[in-house]
Amino acid sequence: MIQLVRGFRDILPGEAMVWQQVEQAARDRFECFGFSEIRTPVIEQTALFKRSIGEDTDIVEKEMYTFPGSKDTLLTLRPEATASVVRAYIQHKLYAADPVRKLYSIGPMFRRERPQKGRYRQFSQINAEVFGIESPYMDAQLIYMLTRFLDALDVPGLRVHLNSLGCPECRNGYRDALRAVFSGKTDRLCSDCVRRIDRNPLRLLDCKVPGCREVAADAPSMADFLCADCDAHFKTVTAGLDAMGVAYERDPRLVRGLDYYTRTTFEIQTDALGAQSAVAGGGRYDGLVEQLGGPSVPAVGFAIGMDRLVELVMAAQPVLLRPPAVFFAAMGAEAWKRAFQWAGELSDQGIRVEIDFSERSLKALMRRADRLGAQFVLIVGERELEEKTVSLRHMATKAQTAVPVDNLVAVVKEKIWESGV
Ligand SMILES: [Zn+2]
Ligand SMILES: [Zn+2]
């Protein structure tokens, strides 16, 4: 048989319910903070990602699914959401009436990473982006919103890692300092890092190669290079988090894998799945809107990795499919026909129904109802139809009620309501 493509995954029914639950929790929480949803396509022009994420990044150099479009354009399956949302913000002039926009999106991203446990080439993210607010309180509010969202899902062991990458001015001094340190140690660095020292020495700070990590451990810290404005901005972010009781750790190595971040960057990590790993991350990208051809508008946002988040939620709760409220144990042609009609009418009332159309004994049908976790079973046989009453069995108490067929939908609905299902 044909199997699914390596590095991709199916999300099966029980798990899909957890996905829905997580998505709904995000919608509810984000909308409390004034966010509204935006949906952008999964395909964009390759140039959009090259210009935003940065040419020297692993994503753009190695991981994008790129293919020819019409004429000379190259197209790419989006490896992240922010670039697309910024493009839409500019293209539709979402800043025209009011530059402040708070947008969220939920959907799949694509990166050609080496397939390994828990990492997929199609993965899903929940993204939130805020445009037009430079205040550090917005950064703190985003982090607050994110931690409350994860707390409500009972994700254990959460830790907020926080850093400031400064602005283009103060970061230049930091880049120089990094170059000075790294250029003397090229024999210990991987080839990617050696190549990137000149153009983008910050990349080295999040290289995963052990030799590079050792060298990075001795690197100077951005905190010592922040200009007065960036330092004040960062202090207000931390003061805001303190005021809301959000614990955090300063992490001077936190640069995130993208070029567009400025000032605040953060990650929410957990060690709940063994090794410590990030479930969400983000930061400020004050220059990106202008860099992509829009007005000079500050911005800040984050992405939540849904695949890992769902895994964490599933580790904490059993995955159950929603059981039917009414299971029809119907026996015989006439009974199937009547059950078929009643099931339709009950579903119109918002009641979950299931009919077994196979020719089986009542005993076998009851076993199946039990396995599905049905709350009630309606027993419909030829004798019941002749007597014009069917039996409604409450599975938990085993109490059985005779229900007149003429008024079946109303009576069953009443019984379900009474039992508090
Ligand atoms: Zn600065
Ligand atoms: Zn490296």
Side-chain angles (χ1 to χ4, degrees), residues 52-57 165-183 196-205 219-226 255-256 258-263 291:
S52 57
I53 298 169
E55 303 241 20
D56 303 318
T57 57
L165 295 176
C167 62
E169 284 85 71
C170 56
R171 206 187 315 182
N172 271 339
Y174 184 50
R175 282 211 176 96
D176 290 342
L178 288 179
R179 279 188 202 104
V181 173
F182 297 152
S183 52
R196 290 168 179 169
I197 284 179
D198 266 353
R199 275 175 60 178
N200 205 339
L202 260 80
R203 275 285 73 75
L204 210 145
L205 296 178
S221 166
M222 181 68 218
D224 301 326
F225 291 81
L226 293 179
V255 296
R256 315 269 304 140
L258 313 156
D259 271 1
Y260 53 63
Y261 284 116
T262 52
R263 293 192 163 168
Q291 190 191 319

Side-chain angles (χ1 to χ4, degrees), residues 132-297:
I133 301 180
E134 193 180 8
S135 167
Y137 283 110
M138 191 63 240
D139 310 31
Q141 193 173 57
L142 270 188
I143 295 169
Y144 174 74
M145 178 173 93
L146 185 50
T147 54
R148 297 303 295 140
F149 162 72
L150 294 169
D151 281 344
L153 291 170
D154 289 328
V155 178
L158 293 176
R159 282 153 66 165
V160 178
H161 286 237
L162 193 62
N163 192 20
S164 175
L165 295 176
C167 62
E169 284 85 71
C170 56
R171 206 187 315 182
N172 271 339
Y174 184 50
R175 282 211 176 96
D176 290 342
L178 288 179
R179 279 188 202 104
V181 173
F182 297 152
S183 52
K185 298 178 177 170
T186 49
D187 53 323
R188 293 165 62 191
L189 300 175
C190 76
S191 57
D192 282 341
C193 285
V194 171
R195 189 163 48 79
R196 290 168 179 169
I197 284 179
D198 266 353
R199 275 175 60 178
N200 205 339
L202 260 80
R203 275 285 73 75
L204 210 145
L205 296 178
D206 62 9
C207 181
K208 302 285 180 281
V209 175
C212 302
R213 295 184 87 146
E214 278 171 35
V215 173
D218 303 328
S221 166
M222 181 68 218
D224 301 326
F225 291 81
L226 293 179
C227 67
D229 284 351
C230 287
D231 190 48
H233 193 276
F234 190 65
K235 285 200 169 87
T236 307
V237 175
T238 57
L241 293 175
D242 290 340
M244 297 306 287
V246 178
Y248 54 86
E249 297 163 35
R250 284 202 71 163
D251 182 348
R253 308 275 165 252
L254 186 68
V255 296
R256 315 269 304 140
L258 313 156
D259 271 1
Y260 53 63
Y261 284 116
T262 52
R263 293 192 163 168
T264 317
T265 51
F266 56 89
E267 256 181 28
I268 317 277
Q269 303 183 353
T270 172
D271 50 17
L273 295 174
Q276 186 160 317
S277 59
V279 280
R284 190 160 270 287
Y285 47 97
D286 288 340
L288 186 59
V289 178
E290 191 173 17
Q291 190 191 319
L292 291 177
S296 173
V297 169

Side-chain angles (χ1 to χ4, degrees), residues 72-91:
D72 298 331
T73 56
L74 284 175
L75 305 178
T76 292
L77 292 179
R78 65 179 181 192
E80 59 110 47
T82 302
S84 299
V85 175
V86 172
R87 180 204 42 74
Y89 178 80
I90 298 169
Q91 184 169 348

Side-chain angles (χ1 to χ4, degrees), residues 378-397:
L378 259 177
I379 301 164
V380 190
E382 270 161 33
R383 186 166 58 82
E384 282 83 359
L385 290 177
E386 264 168 36
E387 292 171 2
K388 295 201 179 306
T389 52
V390 296
S391 292
L392 181 69
R393 184 180 171 87
H394 186 240
M395 294 299 275
T397 61

